[in-house]
Amino acid sequence: MIRVLLADDQSLVRAGFKALLDAQPDIEVAGEAADGEEALRRVGELRPDVVLMDIRMPLLDGLAATRRITDDPGLAAVKVVMLTTFELDEYVFEAIRAGASGFLVKDTEPEELLRAVRAVVDGDALLSPGVTRRLISEFAARSKEPAIEQSLGELTEREREVMALVGIGLSNEEIARRLVVSPLTAKTHVSRTMVKLGARDRAQLVVLAYESGLVRPGWLG
């Protein structure tokens, strides 16, 4: 059973998400929070698998709350998905850097929300390829000049290749086709790369691909 915490200051939004999630046989809403401070308390009490966190909330915003969750080693298993009104919210990029596993727009289709919750628990790609590539494009445009492939010494050549493909927004299936390997092999390479680099999830692997210099904005097509 996937346990979800809903953190949003709009009760109507929480009610809608709760009705959808609780109707699934493998998902349950473990708790709710109306502001960032309450979200932190509830995460500590409930240890949910996933937090659906609104970016803009009173007392403590979602970005600050996310940083405090991801900075706590005792909460390493908790995945945070940011909720925003717009697909390219100005805070999304900082949220990814802060350790969020990705983001969803509040008016996303129900099927996409359910897929995202299940995917983030599995460590798979959270966002649809189109949204992922828009996110990467924006991140690349805003990112600082990267260092020269720092901190990648532990990776094999194949793992670097896989990390670069993750960095340009390819799914495991697309990576498998590109490298002519099975999807399971591609997923294994991605998982090993995340472990070696200490990345919480695929979203952070994308950030590291740019910040290390392994992937550069000009690669986007």
Side-chain angles (χ1 to χ4, degrees), residues 136-137 139-141 143-150 152 159-170 205-221:
I136 291 171
S137 180
F139 175 81
S143 64
K144 299 177 182 178
E145 183 67 23
I148 305 300
E149 296 192 22
Q150 60 182 3
L152 302 183
E159 287 166 349
R160 284 177 177 237
E161 189 175 10
V162 168
M163 181 177 176
L165 295 175
V166 171
I168 62 173
L170 299 193
L205 198 59
V206 170
V207 174
L208 290 172
Y210 279 95
E211 292 186 336
S212 68
L214 184 63
V215 176
R216 299 177 188 278
W219 291 15
L220 291 165

Side-chain angles (χ1 to χ4, degrees), residues 44-151:
E45 294 166 2
L46 300 172
R47 305 297 173 108
D49 300 299
V50 179
V51 181
L52 295 179
M53 180 88 74
D54 187 20
I55 287 182
R56 295 178 177 86
M57 289 189 294
L59 299 184
L60 186 70
D61 65 38
L63 184 59
T66 297
R67 284 200 188 97
R68 286 168 62 175
I69 291 170
T70 58
D71 284 345
D72 187 339
L75 300 176
V78 179
K79 303 293 187 180
V80 180
V81 177
M82 306 302 298
L83 299 173
T84 179
T85 305
F86 305 104
E87 286 185 347
L88 294 177
D89 189 287
E90 62 182 297
Y91 296 113
V92 165
F93 312 98
E94 290 304 317
I96 298 297
R97 282 198 178 98
S101 296
F103 74 102
L104 289 172
V105 290
K106 289 186 179 181
D107 62 353
T108 190
E109 293 295 323
E111 295 78 10
E112 180 69 8
L113 173 65
L114 297 173
R115 188 194 70 81
V117 169
R118 294 178 177 120
V120 74
V121 170
D122 290 338
D124 292 334
L126 170 63
L127 307 172
S128 66
V131 174
T132 299
R133 290 186 181 117
R134 286 200 296 277
L135 170 62
I136 291 171
S137 180
E138 281 290 315
F139 175 81
R142 296 172 185 229
S143 64
K144 299 177 182 178
E145 183 67 23
I148 305 300
E149 296 192 22
Q150 60 182 3
S151 305

Side-chain angles (χ1 to χ4, degrees), residues 17-36:
F17 281 7
K18 178 176 172 57
L20 174 64
L21 295 170
D22 277 344
Q24 307 307 307
D26 60 334
I27 302 174
E28 68 173 357
V29 174
E32 300 180 36
D35 59 67

